[in-house]
Amino acid sequence: MTPVKTYTPDQLRDFETRVAEEFNRGNIRAPVHLSDGSEEALIEIFSEVGDRDYVYCSWRSHYQCLLKGVPPEYLFDQIMAGKSISLNFPEYRIFSTAIVTGQLPIATGTALAISRAGLPEKVWCFLGDMTAETGMAQTCMRYAANHNLPITFVVEDNGVSVCTETRQVWGTPVPVWETHKYPNVRSFSYKSSYPHAGAGVRVQF
Ligand SMILES: Cc1ncc(C[n+]2csc(CCOP(=O)(O)OP(=O)(O)O)c2C)c(N)n1
Ligand SMILES: [Mg+2]
């Protein structure tokens, strides 16, 4: 598979640093969620993503948008306009949501439609580690696995939900996606140098 768009980790990080600087200067008047620390893992995953594939994301989707082929300056303009939390580019087949679990049933339904139509496209659904613990995630992963749908769920494991430790909440060091060993679920660990939202200055949480 030829990647849709290739970036080095430094190029991705530089984009995120630029966003962080604009946010901290007060030029972005809406939340931003930054993904630094996940560069290598996402570059590797996107080496398998085709341009006809569909990508669904959470509120944290800048790198996925770049790697799916959204032009950097177009993406940057959308972020400057306050759209970081819910970036959607149908023309590049990438969608995101600010609602925890919002992308999961839509991604699963897209995979079901592709399967019924006998098309070659695949679906890639990115989700946070706490989102992966929800009932909606379990329902979608189980349904997709049992029906062999063309979808891969990718858990972006930063260990936290905002400021809350995910594993501590659930009382186990083993996350649910490892317990079930669904064949269509992958994960990677990363640590961001930024807070959950924002970039360290001004309003953040
Ligand atoms: C339905 C809903 N409930 C609560 C929130 C607030 N919220 C936004 S992100 C988030 C944390 C989710 O953690 P995780 O899935 O691990 O994603 P991360 O931000 O760490 O990538 C929460 C609770 C929301 N956006 N939507
Ligand atoms: Mg998390």
Side-chain angles (χ1 to χ4, degrees):
M1 174 76 65
T2 311
V4 175
K5 181 85 176 87
T6 48
Y7 285 93
T8 65
D10 280 348
Q11 286 172 321
L12 292 181
R13 211 172 288 117
D14 287 350
F15 183 91
E16 218 61 327
T17 303
R18 227 176 116 206
V19 173
E21 286 169 359
E22 292 292 359
F23 182 85
N24 286 342
R25 280 191 206 112
N27 294 335
I28 303 175
R29 303 177 66 81
V32 294
H33 294 83
L34 304 173
S35 294
D36 71 306
S38 63
E39 294 83 3
E40 281 86 357
L42 287 173
I43 287 169
E44 196 179 323
I45 289 162
F46 271 82
S47 69
E48 295 179 52
V49 178
D51 64 342
R52 303 281 303 161
D53 289 355
Y54 292 86
V55 174
Y56 290 88
C57 301
S58 72
W59 40 90
R60 195 182 301 290
S61 71
H62 299 173
Y63 286 169
Q64 289 91 334
C65 289
L66 289 170
L67 291 162
K68 191 66 176 66
V70 179
E73 291 315 311
Y74 178 32
L75 178 63
F76 202 80
D77 287 349
Q78 294 297 305
I79 294 168
M80 290 300 289
K83 303 269 176 63
S84 166
I85 196 167
S86 54
L87 292 161
N88 284 287
F89 301 99
E91 64 275 39
Y92 294 95
R93 299 197 170 189
I94 181 160
F95 305 88
S96 71
T97 178
I99 305 297
V100 172
T101 76
Q103 74 274 38
L104 307 177
I106 300 172
T108 306
T110 303
L112 179 60
I114 289 170
S115 168
R116 285 183 175 169
L119 295 169
E121 287 97 327
K122 296 196 177 73
V123 179
W124 299 82
C125 182
F126 293 84
L127 63 158
D129 51 300
M130 185 61 97
T131 305
E133 298 280 356
T134 64
M136 179 57 77
Q138 298 317 300
T139 301
C140 291
M141 290 170 180
R142 178 169 151 79
Y143 185 89
N146 290 348
H147 291 282
N148 199 22
L149 299 185
I151 181 169
T152 302
F153 296 92
V154 182
V155 182
E156 306 164 318
D157 183 7
N158 61 1
V160 287
S161 168
V162 187
C163 301
T164 303
E165 301 275 340
T166 302
R167 286 163 177 76
Q168 196 178 325
V169 167
W170 293 99
T172 169
V174 186
V176 70
W177 70 88
E178 283 178 11
T179 310
H180 283 295
K181 301 198 188 319
Y182 290 116
N184 54 354
V185 180
R186 303 184 196 175
S187 67
F188 65 85
S189 300
Y190 77 102
K191 189 163 172 40
S192 171
S193 56
Y194 296 108
H196 167 75
V201 181
R202 299 176 58 229
V203 179
Q204 62 185 49
F205 57 90

